[in-house]
Amino acid sequence: EQIRAAQSPPLGCGLGRVKRGAFVRLFQATRQRLRRHGELIAMCIALKRAEMQRIVEGVHLLMESNLPDEDPDIRELIFGRGFTHTNLERSTTFLEFASLEKRWDKLVAR
């Protein structure tokens, strides 16, 4: 706000001069917020990855049960669809992970 107020009229009420420290504080605060956003994104990805691991475990329990033998729709849904720990670990980039999440979400929602 100090920087905006220091602009010359009609944009502000100052002479158009601002001390260097105001810009330094602005950029430092912005960098700090961006770092924090990155930490929050990493934390969300870790939480999502843990939930997707639960899906893998649930699908593996289904595979070992008698239900796929009794229900052909479930059999088609869970076998050969990539519900593996390897696929989950292989998705290292954000885009790969997002793509895997989207694909698994569609399959689980059936």
Side-chain angles (χ1 to χ4, degrees):
E1 290 189 25
Q2 290 178 353
I3 296 171
R4 288 188 191 275
Q7 289 180 317
S8 55
L11 300 174
C13 57
L15 299 173
R17 294 190 181 116
V18 181
K19 291 184 179 182
R20 179 182 179 275
F23 285 104
V24 170
R25 282 191 306 277
L26 172 71
F27 294 138
Q28 285 177 344
T30 302
R31 288 179 58 221
Q32 186 178 22
R33 283 191 301 274
L34 287 172
R35 251 185 264 120
R36 180 64 180 144
H37 291 181
E39 292 169 2
L40 291 171
I41 289 169
M43 184 176 56
C44 288
I45 289 173
L47 290 170
K48 282 185 168 190
R49 194 174 291 276
E51 291 300 322
M52 289 175 72
Q53 181 62 38
R54 288 184 182 179
I55 290 174
V56 169
E57 292 167 3
V59 167
H60 287 185
L61 287 173
L62 263 175
M63 287 177 177
E64 295 170 0
S65 73
N66 292 336
L67 188 59
D69 297 332
E70 299 168 5
D71 189 347
D73 291 335
I74 292 213
R75 180 177 204 50
E76 181 184 328
L77 176 68
I78 61 176
F79 287 100
R81 297 295 183 166
F83 286 110
T84 64
H85 181 70
T86 306
N87 281 346
L88 186 56
E89 290 300 314
R90 200 179 317 155
S91 61
T92 55
T93 68
F94 178 75
L95 292 177
E96 290 172 350
F97 182 72
S99 173
L100 182 69
E101 179 187 5
K102 185 176 180 180
R103 189 165 52 93
W104 283 13
D105 187 49
K106 283 182 184 177
L107 290 172
V108 173
R110 282 187 181 182

